[in-house]
Amino acid sequence: MYIKILTSTYFRFVDYQVCHFTNPAQDLQFFLYTSPSINLLEKHSVLVEEYYNTLHSTLTTLGHADLCPSSHQFHKQLDKLGPFAVLVACSLLPAIMPDQTHIPDLEKLLKEGQSFHFSERYKDTIKTLLPLFEQKGWLDFGTA
């Protein structure tokens, strides 16, 4: 992850993996919901706080503490990006967590509409995530 200061009033992350400008909350949501394990999900709030503290510390060290959102603003951004987390978990996780005996051919999947096998690991993970998403109101796309 790289920080590129664009002006004196704001900053954006340059994500070279997905190659787009983003904000820190989106970067964290993408990580949390493409790299889940039960241990990670259980430590969700600790990871969020550690990420925020590291972000704040890094910007302070660089002389740009004023560019860091407050903790409250950061949590609001995370919540606003909840539907993005749902989209990531439902669309990318099946390909990230394949059953080793049914590795999907993504080209055939996209071009020919080949059926997709959901691994037991994915099913267990999404069973854990969906109640969390529902509790946070992230599945109500009509109001998001």
Side-chain angles (χ1 to χ4, degrees), residues 14-75:
V14 180
D15 183 339
Y16 290 104
Q17 180 180 349
V18 182
C19 203
H20 70 283
F21 286 107
T22 186
N23 68 44
Q26 186 175 12
D27 181 56
L28 183 57
Q29 289 289 47
F30 188 85
F31 168 74
L32 289 172
Y33 298 105
T34 59
S35 309
S37 69
I38 299 305
N39 287 339
L40 181 111
L41 295 173
E42 289 172 351
K43 297 175 182 167
H44 179 271
S45 61
V46 173
L47 287 170
V48 169
E49 291 310 311
E50 182 62 27
Y51 183 98
Y52 177 80
N53 291 337
T54 301
L55 174 67
H56 187 271
S57 173
T58 301
L59 288 172
T60 300
T61 299
L62 293 172
H64 295 285
D66 58 310
L67 300 180
C68 191
S70 69
S71 179
H72 176 73
Q73 290 169 322
F74 184 69
H75 282 86

Side-chain angles (χ1 to χ4, degrees), residues 50-115:
E50 182 62 27
Y51 183 98
Y52 177 80
N53 291 337
T54 301
L55 174 67
H56 187 271
S57 173
T58 301
L59 288 172
T60 300
T61 299
L62 293 172
H64 295 285
D66 58 310
L67 300 180
C68 191
S70 69
S71 179
H72 176 73
Q73 290 169 322
F74 184 69
H75 282 86
K76 280 181 70 173
Q77 290 172 352
L78 284 172
D79 195 46
K80 183 177 179 182
L81 288 163
F84 171 75
V86 173
L87 180 66
V88 165
C90 292
S91 64
L92 295 179
L93 268 185
I96 292 170
M97 304 175 118
D99 183 335
Q100 295 303 309
T101 60
H102 295 91
I103 304 291
D105 182 333
L106 296 179
E107 188 172 334
K108 282 184 180 179
L109 184 71
L110 295 172
K111 287 184 177 178
E112 302 170 12
Q114 180 185 34
S115 64

